[in-house]
Amino acid sequence: MPPSPIDPPRTPAAPTRTDRVARIFASVIGGPFGDHAQDPPRRRFWTPIRVILLTGLIVFALNWLQKYPCSAGGWVDWQQYTSACYTDIRALWGAERLNEGFIPYRDHPVEYPVLTGWFMGILGQIAFRIGSVAGTDGGPIFFHLNAIVLIICGAAAIAVLHRIREDNRRTDLPGPSPDPALVHARPSRPWDAMMLAAAPVVLVTATVNWDLFAIALAMPFFLYWQRGRPVAAGVFLGLAVAAKFYPLLFLGPLLVLAVRQKRILPALQSTAAAAVVWAVINAPVAYLWRDSWLRFFELNSERPVDWGTGWYVLRGVTGWDALWDSEFVNDLYLVLFAASCLGIAALGFFVQRNKMPMEDVVPRLAQLCFLVVAAFLLFGKVWSQQYVLWLIPLLILARPKWGFFLVWQAAEFGYFLAFYGKMLQVSADDDRGIAEGLFLFAAASRWVTVAILCALVVREILNPRLDAVRSLRLPPMPGAPLPPPRAASDRAPAEAP
């Protein structure tokens, strides 16, 4: 769909009018949007994007402070667990031999996709050279450089998410030039980006790893696809896959909806652009240092069941010995994930097919993408604590409702604390940490809340009128049935005394 020549002005939806939880929290800052308030409000400086970005920067800054005790390295008495300040960025400064001036892939195999390897390599070289000139350890410099750039990436992701929801165009309308009034029939929802800016778990996971870098590259894919620019969308998708592999999962929903809507060409253009960009980034490294490049793929196939996954919980609860076998779990995961993808594809292709093309009932791309990535985590054998960052923006695009979002965030926050309690329990020799049962409960809570979110998204796909992004009118409630007419021979009721 080409971009609309004219974007009709739309009044942004007030969160306190559309979300019950937002209405409750608004009482702290003056109450919900009133019936007699000017709509839209007059704002000279504190526009929605500035308020949202300020909130996000505060949250990112608090995360930076939360990780600061571990930035110096040389962790003593399991400080990285007792303070819950562990970060892969600081740990891999030595593990990837960046502290020796090594260049990723050329001098040392790296367990990350190429663009993330370049990211850490460039900042690693800067930190190493500054440390060499200043005669100091480059490790803290490396962490703080990464924190600054990741905060910028996080702010960029928030800004793009805000733009997606402010625009909130339909992409399912038939024809090369659909009516702009229909394209922009959905309400403008710029405040949805606040869910990413203020997500509680971002406080503790933003700088655990380089995931914000990939997220900042993945968000423009949805923006440009929404605007009818498939090649630009594909370029950003290719960049995102070159940084982390999970955005590759977006291609399945993209192609399913393209087949459903009989608009294959734009989806193929995006896919081709993503493949070219990914190949251009990966080909030099794969050609020059093949073994180092393959390390990422080998590690993902060899890794055993990781802490906190559904398989770990199942093994801990049932004692099923077969779950210690990595190959068995790999096969079982592939079967379950493939079955999930087939079910999601069927949902995206068949649901609401009997409706008129102009009706806003086609499953949205973000809804299917969230379901696929969530299934990947629910049935995967690795579910690191920072992977929650993958789901947050996808869930906001799929289901921007605060209620169960906060329940899920509480479960993720609880798992974050339980994870470090478990690491302390298995690492220290003085009976510190938490019991296995408590860790299993925290991991199971995370698994269950994500599964419930999937069920809620599926429910809204099946009943689009529940989807806040569309704001379709609910059908009128049926009234009480009228009493049957009284026959002429019936006696009239007696008068009341």
Side-chain angles (χ1 to χ4, degrees):
M1 180 185 68
S4 302
I6 300 176
D7 292 353
R10 291 178 293 166
T11 300
T16 55
R17 286 182 172 176
T18 59
D19 191 285
R20 185 182 308 172
V21 176
R23 190 156 52 247
I24 293 172
F25 280 102
S27 61
V28 180
I29 55 173
F33 198 81
D35 293 335
H36 300 286
Q38 182 170 343
D39 193 9
R42 290 180 179 175
R43 298 184 179 98
R44 295 183 179 178
F45 183 81
W46 289 115
T47 58
I49 184 58
R50 288 173 176 167
V51 174
I52 293 167
L53 281 176
L54 177 62
T55 304
L57 290 174
I58 291 172
V59 171
F60 291 137
L62 291 174
N63 171 262
W64 193 357
L65 290 175
Q66 193 265 328
K67 301 300 179 190
Y68 185 82
C70 286
S71 63
W75 301 327
V76 178
D77 194 29
W78 309 110
Q79 173 194 9
Q80 70 273 33
Y81 302 144
T82 56
S83 299
C85 62
Y86 173 85
T87 167
D88 286 335
I89 296 170
R90 188 61 181 88
L92 293 177
W93 165 252
E96 300 291 356
R97 306 185 72 174
L98 300 171
N99 60 331
E100 302 175 43
F102 278 28
I103 295 177
Y105 305 107
R106 189 194 73 176
D107 302 325
H108 190 266
V110 176
E111 61 183 73
Y112 292 98
V114 170
L115 206 55
T116 298
W118 288 0
F119 186 100
M120 71 166 72
I122 291 171
L123 295 184
Q125 285 294 305
I126 294 173
F128 175 76
R129 296 178 187 280
I130 292 176
S132 298
V133 171
T136 186
D137 179 19
I141 300 172
F142 179 65
F143 171 76
H144 294 306
L145 282 174
N146 275 274
I148 292 170
V149 178
L150 288 174
I151 288 173
I152 294 172
C153 289
I158 291 171
V160 175
L161 181 58
H162 167 271
R163 193 69 187 96
I164 293 170
R165 274 292 168 258
E166 183 181 50
D167 207 18
N168 202 18
R169 303 184 190 188
R170 289 182 61 181
T171 60
D172 61 314
L173 291 168
S177 300
D179 184 354
L182 291 175
V183 171
H184 297 276
R186 293 173 178 170
S188 177
R189 299 179 56 91
W191 289 104
D192 287 352
M194 182 63 83
M195 297 177 73
L196 176 57
V201 79
V202 174
L203 284 166
V204 290
T205 58
T207 55
V208 168
N209 202 282
W210 290 277
D211 296 80
L212 281 178
F213 176 50
I215 293 167
L217 295 173
M219 284 297 98
F221 161 72
F222 292 98
L223 176 64
Y224 284 114
W225 180 258
Q226 178 177 274
R227 291 184 170 184
R229 299 175 61 183
V231 174
V235 167
F236 278 98
L237 181 60
L239 290 170
V241 175
K244 290 277 183 179
F245 245 48
Y246 85 92
L248 182 66
L249 301 174
F250 300 167
L251 285 177
L254 182 71
L255 294 172
V256 167
L257 292 177
V259 172
R260 171 178 174 146
Q261 298 166 23
K262 298 179 181 179
R263 288 168 44 208
I264 304 295
L265 183 58
L268 292 180
Q269 289 173 328
S270 281
T271 303
V276 169
V277 169
W278 183 86
V280 167
I281 293 172
N282 280 264
V285 178
Y287 177 77
L288 294 172
W289 310 296
R290 180 174 176 79
D291 291 341
S292 294
W293 180 75
L294 288 173
R295 179 58 186 151
F296 166 75
F297 302 96
E298 294 168 350
L299 180 66
N300 280 276
S301 63
E302 297 168 355
R303 291 180 73 168
V305 171
D306 204 2
W307 303 99
T309 61
W311 302 113
Y312 182 94
V313 174
L314 183 62
R315 188 176 66 192
V317 172
T318 66
W320 190 6
D321 291 336
L323 296 180
W324 290 98
D325 184 348
S326 181
E327 292 185 3
F328 174 76
V329 174
N330 270 341
D331 294 340
L332 201 55
Y333 149 68
L334 289 174
V335 169
L336 291 173
F337 181 58
S340 299
C341 289
L342 288 175
I344 294 166
L347 190 71
F349 188 80
F350 292 109
V351 167
Q352 306 291 343
R353 285 188 66 85
N354 60 338
K355 302 294 184 180
M356 296 294 293
M358 296 304 175
E359 293 187 65
D360 190 4
V361 295
V362 176
R364 295 185 289 106
L365 175 63
Q367 291 175 315
L368 301 184
C369 287
F370 170 78
L371 292 175
V372 172
V373 175
F376 176 77
L377 295 178
L378 289 171
F379 298 120
K381 61 178 183 176
V382 178
W383 193 346
S384 299
Q385 54 186 304
Q386 72 275 8
Y387 289 0
V388 63
L389 297 173
W390 301 357
L391 290 178
I392 292 175
L394 293 177
L395 178 63
I396 296 167
L397 291 176
R399 188 179 186 272
K401 297 180 180 179
W402 279 96
F404 203 80
F405 173 81
L406 291 176
V407 175
W408 168 54
Q409 289 288 288
E412 291 281 1
F413 205 99
Y415 175 76
F416 174 86
L417 298 177
F419 175 76
Y420 288 115
K422 181 62 180 175
M423 292 301 98
L424 184 62
Q425 187 259 327
V426 299
S427 302
D429 297 326
D430 51 2
D431 295 328
R432 286 184 290 175
I434 65 172
E436 175 72 0
L438 185 56
F439 178 68
L440 289 174
F441 174 79
S445 299
R446 175 176 69 161
W447 197 98
V448 169
T449 51
V450 172
I452 292 174
L453 285 172
C454 291
L456 292 172
V457 171
V458 170
R459 176 171 172 254
E460 294 183 2
I461 291 175
L462 295 174
N463 187 357
R465 295 185 184 278
L466 301 176
D467 186 355
V469 174
R470 306 175 200 265
S471 285
L472 301 175
R473 291 184 178 180
L474 293 171
M477 296 294 292
L482 295 174
R486 184 168 56 87
S489 58
D490 290 351
R491 295 182 61 184
E495 293 184 1

